[in-house]
Amino acid sequence: SDLLQMRGGTRGDIVNDWSYDVSYSYGKSDRTQVDSGYTNTQNIANAIDAVSTTQCRGGQPGCVPINVFGGYGTITPEMALYAGATALEQQLYDQLVINGVVTGALYQLPWVDSPIAASFGATYRSESGETKPDLCLQTAPDSCLGGAGGYTLPTKGQFHVQEYYGELIVPLLSDLPFVQSFDIELGYRWSDFSSTGSDPTYKYGLNWRPFDSLLVRAMENRANRAPN
């Protein structure tokens, strides 16, 4: 198998308390699966159906008759080569991910000691995959590999998705009896899949820290998965 993977990115400050983080990732794999040690179902049928030790009944080109009851050592290398089967299946996959995020601080309420923390970003992801079996594996109904199961047909597919999202942590109370901090956490993401269309997800909840060693969280969220 062959594998190629590239990653890169940059991050830094924009202005005041705002910063950015941009990344790029690309990967590609090319894998070939070799299935060997099987018998070729069609060839072994031709070889068994023989009229003599040198001639197959069907007269197929290259057919080498086999006597499966001949005992140990009677199957020659020529017989094994004709009756044997080796199949190849090539599997390809590509993935591209581009991501960008900006984070920073917004307005600070006068009675708390921390500003509203914000994060906004966008992501683009593209994936494609393909499997390419040889003619042996494509032979219906059970491929040419005796005992290997059903046949395999070529498949190919791809999709891409673009997403935009934002998160906020809003401090509401701080430095009070039994309220070291009390924050509201909000998040929203809009995803647009080429295969299934757009769909929003979100979260909202609260974080209450009565004292330093205890944090109480309550959260409601909606998530989704798209078929690949």
Side-chain angles (χ1 to χ4, degrees):
S1 61
D2 295 320
L3 176 65
L4 170 67
Q5 190 165 24
M6 298 184 295
R7 292 183 177 180
T10 180
R11 59 186 176 185
D13 297 328
I14 303 174
V15 63
N16 297 332
D17 295 327
W18 286 87
S19 61
Y20 71 91
D21 190 326
V22 178
S23 62
Y24 168 92
S25 174
Y26 175 74
K28 180 178 181 180
S29 66
D30 184 347
R31 176 176 178 267
T32 300
Q33 177 175 308
V34 180
D35 297 321
S36 60
Y38 294 90
T39 55
N40 185 307
T41 54
Q42 185 59 57
N43 285 5
I44 194 69
N46 297 337
I48 293 175
D49 188 15
V51 295
S52 69
T53 58
T54 60
Q55 184 180 354
C56 298
R57 187 181 305 275
Q60 296 85 0
C63 182
V64 181
I66 295 177
N67 179 7
V68 294
F69 301 106
Y72 179 80
T74 58
I75 297 181
T76 66
E78 291 77 13
M79 295 176 184
L81 181 62
Y82 176 73
T86 298
L88 303 176
E89 181 179 357
Q90 186 181 21
Q91 299 166 346
L92 307 170
Y93 205 84
D94 283 72
Q95 184 188 68
L96 168 67
V97 181
I98 302 174
N99 188 59
V101 182
V102 294
T103 58
L106 298 175
Y107 177 75
Q108 180 173 338
L109 299 175
W111 56 86
V112 295
D113 56 9
S114 299
I116 299 173
S119 178
F120 304 98
T123 298
Y124 175 82
R125 187 171 91 252
S126 173
E127 302 197 32
S128 64
E130 181 178 6
T131 178
K132 298 193 292 186
D134 64 7
L135 293 178
C136 173
L137 289 173
Q138 295 185 49
T139 303
D142 54 4
S143 82
C144 77
L145 302 180
Y151 64 103
T152 303
L153 295 179
T155 58
K156 183 178 182 180
Q158 61 182 352
F159 76 94
H160 63 264
V161 56
Q162 51 184 337
E163 299 180 288
Y164 305 94
Y165 50 89
E167 293 186 79
L168 295 175
I169 296 181
V170 184
L172 294 182
L173 300 172
S174 65
D175 298 327
L176 297 174
F178 297 104
V179 184
Q180 181 175 332
S181 64
F182 186 88
D183 307 331
I184 291 179
E185 186 173 340
L186 305 170
Y188 182 84
R189 178 182 295 259
W190 182 80
S191 305
D192 186 13
F193 290 87
S194 61
S195 53
T196 58
S198 61
D199 197 16
T201 56
Y202 55 82
K203 67 175 182 178
Y204 57 88
L206 58 87
N207 303 313
W208 170 41
R209 188 181 294 277
F211 43 87
D212 188 61
S213 58
L214 177 63
L215 174 65
V216 178
R217 301 187 71 204
M219 192 71 60
E220 172 78 14
N221 66 74
R222 178 184 187 272
N224 73 301
R225 287 179 61 93
N228 58 24

